[in-house]
Amino acid sequence: MTDTADSRTKPRQPRLRADALRNRERIIAAARETMVEFGAEVPLDEIARRAGVGNATLYRHFADRLELIHHVTLSVMSRTADRAESALAEESDAFQALRRFVHDAVEERIGALCPLLSDGIDPAHPELLAASERLEVAIEAVMGAARDSGQLRTDIAVGDLMVAITQLTRPLPGSGCVDFDRFVHRHLQLFLDGLLAPARSELPGVAATLDDLRRRP
């Protein structure tokens, strides 16, 4: 199997049987974990081993590495949107919903997965555009509720929040920071305190949107 074939545009596949769907989900979950640990070039055989399936099963679901990365990206976006929607629906305090979402979003390791988006993934793919739109709407709803409650400062946008989450969850280079994760939630709490209104200072520049983050230099 090569990594060059682009099968992301193949026709929609028939509905999978329950066992096949479970295998597919296990492969995506294992790929997400191993790519966070080792990068996008982790051997596909290792992903299959981590998922508890044979190599043939992985190849049957995903024809090449790019297709697998594509679906890992979709999974992370979907799971993150789920977390935003759940936080807003289940928390009575709007800013607490924002706090909950930010801490939950860290568990998706968005910062570690960001490099995947620059490795041959087509950001204009219809599935990615739809997932990105759903994610943006879900996060904006959480932020909008916190803003309307008077608790969230008014000079930030979705892009500002995602930059902070991304930077705070991106692994630091070198082996001296293997326990970096234990500091993330502490530093997120400091960041969240800085979002409370009234603002303590005026931010330079303008609020960032997700469109700003997508633009190539």
Side-chain angles (χ1 to χ4, degrees), residues 67-208:
E67 185 180 9
L68 181 55
I69 291 174
H70 173 81
H71 284 281
V72 168
T73 304
L74 287 176
S75 174
V76 171
M77 286 183 170
S78 176
R79 287 163 56 99
T80 305
D82 287 345
R83 289 179 181 271
E85 291 165 357
S86 295
L88 184 59
E90 296 169 9
E91 297 292 339
S92 58
D93 180 270
F95 200 86
Q96 179 55 35
L98 179 61
R99 286 188 187 275
R100 171 175 156 178
F101 164 68
V102 169
H103 284 284
D104 284 353
V106 167
E107 303 305 322
E108 299 304 328
R109 302 298 295 272
I110 294 173
L113 290 167
C114 272
L116 301 183
L117 296 173
S118 62
D119 279 337
I121 294 298
D122 177 13
H125 190 288
E127 288 181 324
L128 286 174
L129 288 175
S132 179
E133 181 179 358
R134 180 194 167 208
L135 177 60
E136 184 167 9
V137 168
I139 298 173
E140 179 52 48
V142 176
M143 295 181 68
R147 195 179 295 116
D148 291 345
S149 74
Q151 298 177 82
L152 176 64
R153 57 190 298 166
T154 60
D155 55 352
I156 65 164
V158 173
D160 296 304
L161 188 70
M162 297 312 292
V163 165
I165 294 174
T166 297
Q167 293 301 320
L168 287 170
T169 56
R170 188 186 298 275
L172 296 179
S175 58
C177 298
V178 291
D179 292 328
F180 174 70
D181 285 355
R182 65 192 175 100
F183 298 112
V184 169
H185 289 284
R186 176 181 175 86
H187 293 165
L188 277 176
Q189 195 72 6
L190 288 170
F191 164 71
L192 284 162
D193 286 349
L195 299 185
L196 285 166
R200 298 290 185 88
S201 64
E202 182 176 348
L203 295 176
V206 296

Side-chain angles (χ1 to χ4, degrees), residues 22-34:
R22 283 193 297 271
N23 282 340
R24 184 180 180 85
E25 290 172 347
R26 284 160 61 185
I27 293 166
I28 291 173
R32 171 180 166 274
E33 293 172 2
T34 54

